[in-house]
Amino acid sequence: MRVNDIMIGLETKHPGESEYLQAVREVLISIEDVYNQHPEFEKAGIVERIVEPDRIFTFRVPWVDDKGRVQVNIGYRVQFNGAIGPYKGGIRFHPSVSLSSLKFLGFEQTFKNALTTLPMGGAKGGSDFAPKGRSQAEIMRFCQAFVTELWRNLGPDTDVPAGDIGVGGREVGYMFGMYKKLAREHTGTFTGKGISFGGSRLRPEATGFGALYFVQKMCDEYHIRLRGKTVAVSGFGNVAWGAVTKATELGAKVVAISGPDGYIYDEDGVNMPEKIAFMLELRNSGNDVVAPYADEFPRAKFFPGKKPWECKVDIALPCAIQNELNLEDAKTLKKNGVLLVAEVSNMGCTSDAVDFFIENEMLFAPGKAVNAGGVACSGLEMTQNAMHISWSNEEVDRWLHQIMNDIHEQCVTYGKNGEYINYVKGANIAGFMKVADAMMAQGVL
Ligand code: 2IT
């Protein structure tokens, strides 16, 4: 396999799908050496097959807004790879959603899910629908319209969606309700459901909690004390909230959170329950702005239009969206003496930022390892649904912790190079080897 030749082929076939091409290139560069030590992979065309989704559904989502006007969005589901289990991955509602972004997310999900140790294939879906400013009734009608088209392709052992940006418990509830009505079955076909109808304990917290369990392991590995360290987080959604909560619980001090409008610097730390609860209030307001935090807590400062990476902190946790941290930001973080950067968003850093971290042997871990706690907890929800039982907080947390430790171990096994752990390489190789092995065993499909 020669990465450049494969990339030229893909660029010709899928012109302009920049995020998808970025994600594929990053993985292929990581696995190139290992792949070329396995001539049987080359013979079976593993790489040519693994970079293309199994199938993609694209559909029209018509709905009626509160003014009685007809609105039309595009819906997608990318079933990327089903080698190791039923398709699994979130649904994103955001104006930036395109085929390229969902293909990148489905591709990443395939390797992430393999890392969780649970049997789940990779998928992603969503729509260019913008929830910002929409009423509850509009959100419900949109979710129902989305599932009316998609439901035939879903099922508890076929494809199990969940939340992602713009899709939380409320949206999953509406989508699950419509699915249940059409399919006439009450099965675990969505995860992230409400506790009263089959949802798992801890699912809302799982991505952020899991990320901090992973960060804790990174710190242990490098003999860094997490307690007392300052942290900058981007975003203020579900994932950021879980990360802030757990970071605070572990004794770190989160001094920055952000939104599309700018960032908040809170010298005292986003540390009190009322501050963390206020993050939820901000999110639930549906306005997508973080500025009101500084009105509520006047000792905090708001920096409009700026990113939190300019703050001097020990730990940086991008928790918002892809490519939110670029080379310039990476250089600023290094200059300010950052000790650790962990992507909590999927592909949160641009390729040149990732290269910069690794070339400088900085402590950096990629989203597919760090944020895998979310989908891992979804896998635990599927298990509970299949067994018709529900586990306690403690039971789910124990599993989550164990899985994150396991993922860290896999990264070390495949990524250790002398003293330095290349977590990007480790995660990519570990995830790839599992999927490739399953594909080899199942023949040319
Ligand atoms: O990016 C992700 O891993 C998610 N949005 C969660 C997917 C899931 O199926 O829980």
Side-chain angles (χ1 to χ4, degrees):
M1 184 244 295
R2 298 216 353 240
V3 175
N4 272 344
D5 296 347
I6 292 183
M7 290 313 300
I8 289 168
L10 283 179
E11 280 156 17
T12 314
K13 256 194 272 186
H14 308 293
E17 295 187 1
S18 61
E19 292 141 319
Y20 160 69
L21 295 166
Q22 177 186 345
V24 171
R25 181 187 290 277
E26 286 182 20
V27 169
L28 295 192
I29 288 172
S30 291
I31 64 163
E32 188 171 19
D33 289 346
V34 171
Y35 192 87
N36 288 331
Q37 288 158 18
H38 289 266
E40 71 277 16
F41 287 168
E42 184 83 33
K43 202 155 160 244
I46 294 290
V47 89
E48 289 79 3
R49 287 191 280 141
I50 213 168
V51 299
E52 292 289 348
D54 288 355
R55 66 192 68 77
I56 300 174
F57 302 105
T58 313
F59 48 94
R60 176 175 71 236
V61 188
W63 55 285
V64 180
D65 70 17
D66 285 349
K67 300 209 169 86
R69 283 184 308 230
V70 173
Q71 300 274 351
V72 181
N73 289 95
I74 312 177
Y76 307 89
R77 184 71 174 165
V78 180
Q79 295 183 338
F80 213 102
N81 190 297
I84 69 168
Y87 299 109
K88 182 81 197 87
I91 299 278
R92 177 175 292 192
F93 293 162
H94 193 267
S96 71
V97 163
S98 65
L99 195 52
S100 168
S101 62
L102 295 179
K103 278 174 68 180
F104 119 64
L105 287 160
F107 181 75
E108 290 285 289
Q109 198 80 43
T110 299
F111 302 102
K112 180 198 308 192
N113 292 4
L115 288 171
T116 64
T117 71
L118 305 173
M120 299 182 288
K124 204 82 188 191
S127 173
D128 59 352
F129 172 71
K132 184 174 168 175
R134 289 294 175 191
S135 70
Q136 171 115 333
E138 288 177 316
I139 300 270
M140 181 180 78
R141 287 198 294 276
F142 180 80
C143 290
Q144 292 179 337
F146 184 85
V147 167
T148 302
E149 184 59 38
L150 187 60
W151 76 277
R152 278 186 190 282
N153 307 306
L154 308 177
D157 293 312
T158 307
D159 185 351
V160 183
D164 193 80
I165 295 171
V167 177
R170 177 180 64 173
E171 291 75 16
V172 167
Y174 292 146
M175 287 194 279
F176 173 76
M178 196 58 173
Y179 174 83
K180 188 200 64 179
K181 181 181 170 80
L182 294 167
R184 301 199 179 174
E185 56 168 48
H186 198 301
T187 52
T189 296
F190 280 80
T191 61
K193 301 184 292 296
I195 296 286
S196 57
F197 54 100
S200 177
R201 298 274 164 202
L202 234 56
R203 179 63 191 87
E205 295 89 342
T207 312
F209 280 21
L212 264 296
Y213 295 153
F214 194 92
V215 166
Q216 174 79 70
K217 287 299 283 184
M218 293 172 80
C219 287
D220 293 349
E221 193 73 30
Y222 280 83
H223 311 292
I224 294 169
R225 227 170 101 90
L226 180 54
R227 186 161 289 280
K229 294 290 180 289
T230 53
V231 184
V233 163
S234 63
F236 64 100
N238 171 63
V239 172
W241 162 74
V244 170
T245 306
K246 189 52 89 175
T248 306
E249 198 185 304
L250 295 175
K253 184 167 152 191
V254 180
V255 293
I257 56 172
S258 78
D261 53 332
Y263 78 89
I264 294 284
Y265 187 81
D266 186 344
E267 202 182 327
D268 301 333
V270 187
N271 52 2
M272 301 177 316
E274 33 312 7
K275 288 183 177 176
I276 295 176
F278 191 72
M279 282 178 75
L280 282 186
E281 249 173 73
L282 278 178
R283 168 158 60 97
N284 294 341
S285 77
N287 295 326
D288 218 10
V289 287
V290 79
Y293 183 102
D295 304 328
E296 188 75 13
F297 306 103
R299 280 176 56 83
K301 279 203 192 76
F302 175 61
F303 294 87
K306 299 272 192 188
K307 296 199 268 183
W309 317 131
E310 66 181 31
C311 302
K312 184 171 165 34
V313 287
D314 301 314
I315 295 175
L317 302 177
C319 294
I321 200 163
Q322 67 267 13
N323 292 327
E324 54 172 313
L325 194 160
N326 62 27
L327 179 59
E328 201 113 313
D329 302 322
K331 287 180 174 166
T332 307
L333 285 167
K334 179 168 189 292
K335 191 174 71 182
N336 287 332
V338 78
L339 296 173
L340 184 159
V341 182
E343 269 183 349
V344 192
S345 44
N346 291 305
M347 205 165 77
C349 301
T350 58
S351 297
D352 49 6
V354 175
D355 291 345
F356 178 83
F357 291 136
I358 291 173
E359 277 158 21
N360 286 283
E361 299 212 335
M362 292 167 69
L363 194 42
F364 170 78
K368 63 169 75 67
V370 179
N371 74 27
V375 74
C377 192
S378 280
L380 301 175
E381 183 168 329
M382 289 166 71
T383 307
Q384 293 169 77
N385 292 162
M387 294 167 77
H388 302 281
I389 57 165
S390 59
W391 291 330
S392 67
N393 257 308
E394 293 70 30
E395 283 169 302
V396 177
D397 197 40
R398 201 176 325 121
W399 271 106
L400 176 63
H401 215 135
Q402 174 62 44
I403 289 171
M404 296 315 297
N405 288 353
D406 217 307
I407 296 172
H408 185 270
E409 190 60 40
Q410 295 176 65
C411 290
V412 174
T413 302
Y414 287 98
K416 194 156 186 148
N417 185 5
E419 286 299 291
Y420 182 61
I421 299 167
N422 183 336
Y423 284 89
V424 174
K425 201 166 176 186
N428 284 335
I429 296 177
F432 171 80
M433 289 303 276
K434 180 167 177 184
V435 179
D437 185 65
M439 288 173 72
M440 287 296 297
Q442 293 171 35
V444 178
L445 296 169

